[in-house]
Amino acid sequence: MTERPTIVLLRGWMRDGRHWESFPDELSQQLDLISSNARPKQRPRIICADLPGNGSRYSERTPDSIGGMMSAIRSELKGTELVLVGISMGGMLAAEWVQRYPEDVVGFACINSSMRPHAYPWERLKLNNWLRILARLATSLVRKSGETAAVRELERFIMQLTLRPEFRTEDRLEQWVKWTEANPVTPGNALRQLRAAAAYKDPLVAPLAVPCLVLRSLGDALVDPVCSERLATAWQQTLQTHPSAGHDLAVEDPAWLAEALASWYNSHWPLKKTAD
């Protein structure tokens, strides 16, 4: 039989594939639990994609638009029958991909994302966070890129935006610092990503051509959860809500997210029985 659709995980602002932490493994395990008798070819591949300027592609210049970022990621994959899973800005990348290359995508999930015109600017990024982010980027411009103290300040700041206090552990902070020191995001790339996300407008119109799942966290302190609710309404799609997690749902409750996505995935792309 042919392989099931590949799952592509798309991250957001200044993050890369490593920041999914344990989630890809959790998702793989959940897919195996639901399809415990699957043969290797029946288990979908899971790819953590990095956009230019982040992670493995940190030395590249980030494009100035969501469309440009999406095209750069697509050029690295060269595949069809994809299921896109995007968190935050990654949800925008997924929506753009569905709109521009529908032949690639058979479904997508959007986690804690927001897009014009479905939310006010202060809902898409809460007002005090705009000021804090711009101030932090301005400070970064006068810091030496390899200065560990400056990197730690930046990563601690991102933790404050995306995670609830109990998840801001020193071990996690040290790991994030190591990742950023190894693959630093330049202030210019960070600003281009922020501007592109702020300007992005939803390109999709209901009814959508492919299955979609919208997920949100009610404890999100970065993006107002109402943004996901409005996306689900505009797209006429199912909305699933985590009652307490922060913005980075994949880090705070990977098991819950993996179960929700695996159940949705298997409902649309079930295993096909084959002869022994």
Side-chain angles (χ1 to χ4, degrees), residues 6-27:
T6 296
I7 298 172
V8 180
L9 304 181
L10 301 166
R11 267 282 174 179
W13 181 64
M14 295 187 68
R15 303 292 85 179
D16 60 65
R18 298 166 298 182
H19 293 93
W20 289 101
E21 295 192 1
S22 67
F23 173 71
D25 289 338
E26 292 275 0
L27 180 57

Side-chain angles (χ1 to χ4, degrees), residues 89-146:
M89 189 176 76
M92 304 177 207
L93 296 168
E96 185 72 6
W97 204 325
V98 170
Q99 172 65 19
R100 291 178 57 182
Y101 299 103
E103 66 274 18
D104 292 357
V105 185
V106 296
F108 76 109
C110 194
I111 308 162
N112 288 334
S113 194
S114 66
M115 302 173 204
R116 298 170 51 221
H118 307 305
Y120 296 109
W122 55 87
E123 292 172 332
R124 297 191 62 204
L125 186 63
K126 294 179 181 179
L127 182 59
N128 63 320
N129 289 328
W130 276 109
L131 302 176
R132 294 168 68 199
I133 288 171
L134 293 174
R136 182 62 60 182
L137 288 177
T139 301
S140 298
L141 288 170
V142 298
R143 296 278 193 177
K144 295 180 181 178
S145 60

Side-chain angles (χ1 to χ4, degrees), residues 25 29 35 47 51 55 66 90 103 114-115 117 120 137 150 168 170 192 197 201 203 218-219 230 239 260:
D25 289 338
Q29 290 169 17
S35 51
I47 297 173
L51 63 85
I66 294 296
E103 66 274 18
S114 66
M115 302 173 204
Y120 296 109
L137 288 177
R168 302 173 199 163
E170 286 302 312
R192 276 186 285 275
K201 183 178 180 181
L218 290 186
R230 291 179 185 154
L239 174 68

Side-chain angles (χ1 to χ4, degrees), residues 179-197:
W179 288 339
T180 298
E181 287 187 318
N183 305 107
V185 180
T186 67
N189 278 340
L191 187 57
R192 276 186 285 275
Q193 292 171 29
L194 189 64
R195 282 197 311 238

Side-chain angles (χ1 to χ4, degrees), residues 65-75 93-94 96-97 100-101:
S65 67
I66 294 296
M69 296 179 211
M70 179 278 301
S71 294
I73 295 172
R74 181 177 183 264
S75 69
L93 296 168
E96 185 72 6
W97 204 325
R100 291 178 57 182
Y101 299 103

Side-chain angles (χ1 to χ4, degrees), residues 19-237:
H19 293 93
W20 289 101
E21 295 192 1
S22 67
F23 173 71
D25 289 338
E26 292 275 0
L27 180 57
S28 181
Q29 290 169 17
Q30 284 294 330
L31 288 164
D32 280 349
L33 283 174
I34 294 171
S35 51
S36 58
N37 296 320
R39 297 176 180 180
K41 279 193 174 182
Q42 295 175 313
R43 292 172 185 151
R45 294 173 62 211
I46 300 174
I47 297 173
C48 296
D50 289 347
L51 63 85
N54 295 0
S56 61
R57 305 180 70 176
Y58 78 99
S59 61
E60 301 177 45
R61 187 183 191 275
T62 300
D64 293 318
S65 67
I66 294 296
M69 296 179 211
M70 179 278 301
S71 294
I73 295 172
R74 181 177 183 264
S75 69
E76 294 279 302
L77 291 177
K78 306 289 185 184
T80 57
E81 291 214 323
L82 305 177
V83 173
L84 308 176
V85 177
I87 187 167
S88 197
M89 189 176 76
M92 304 177 207
L93 296 168
E96 185 72 6
W97 204 325
V98 170
Q99 172 65 19
R100 291 178 57 182
Y101 299 103
E103 66 274 18
D104 292 357
V105 185
V106 296
F108 76 109
C110 194
I111 308 162
N112 288 334
S113 194
S114 66
M115 302 173 204
R116 298 170 51 221
H118 307 305
Y120 296 109
W122 55 87
E123 292 172 332
R124 297 191 62 204
L125 186 63
K126 294 179 181 179
L127 182 59
N128 63 320
N129 289 328
W130 276 109
L131 302 176
R132 294 168 68 199
I133 288 171
L134 293 174
R136 182 62 60 182
L137 288 177
T139 301
S140 298
L141 288 170
V142 298
R143 296 278 193 177
K144 295 180 181 178
S145 60
E147 187 178 336
T148 299
V151 173
R152 184 172 285 105
E153 287 177 17
L154 175 62
E155 292 301 320
R156 193 184 299 277
F157 170 68
I158 293 174
M159 276 191 173
Q160 291 170 354
L161 293 176
T162 60
L163 298 177
R164 290 178 294 165
E166 60 267 36
F167 294 94
R168 302 173 199 163
T169 65
E170 286 302 312
D171 287 346
R172 174 168 284 125
L173 177 61
E174 289 308 311
Q175 183 63 75
W176 287 14
V177 168
K178 289 178 182 177
W179 288 339
T180 298
E181 287 187 318
N183 305 107
V185 180
T186 67
N189 278 340
L191 187 57
R192 276 186 285 275
Q193 292 171 29
L194 189 64
R195 282 197 311 238
Y200 188 65
K201 183 178 180 181
D202 176 19
L204 302 177
V205 177
L208 303 186
V210 297
C212 171
L213 177 64
V214 182
L215 304 106
R216 65 173 177 174
S217 308
L218 290 186
D220 192 341
L222 182 64
V223 176
D224 195 311
V226 75
C227 297
S228 291
E229 181 181 345
R230 291 179 185 154
L231 277 178
T233 299
W235 294 342
Q236 300 174 14
Q237 300 297 312

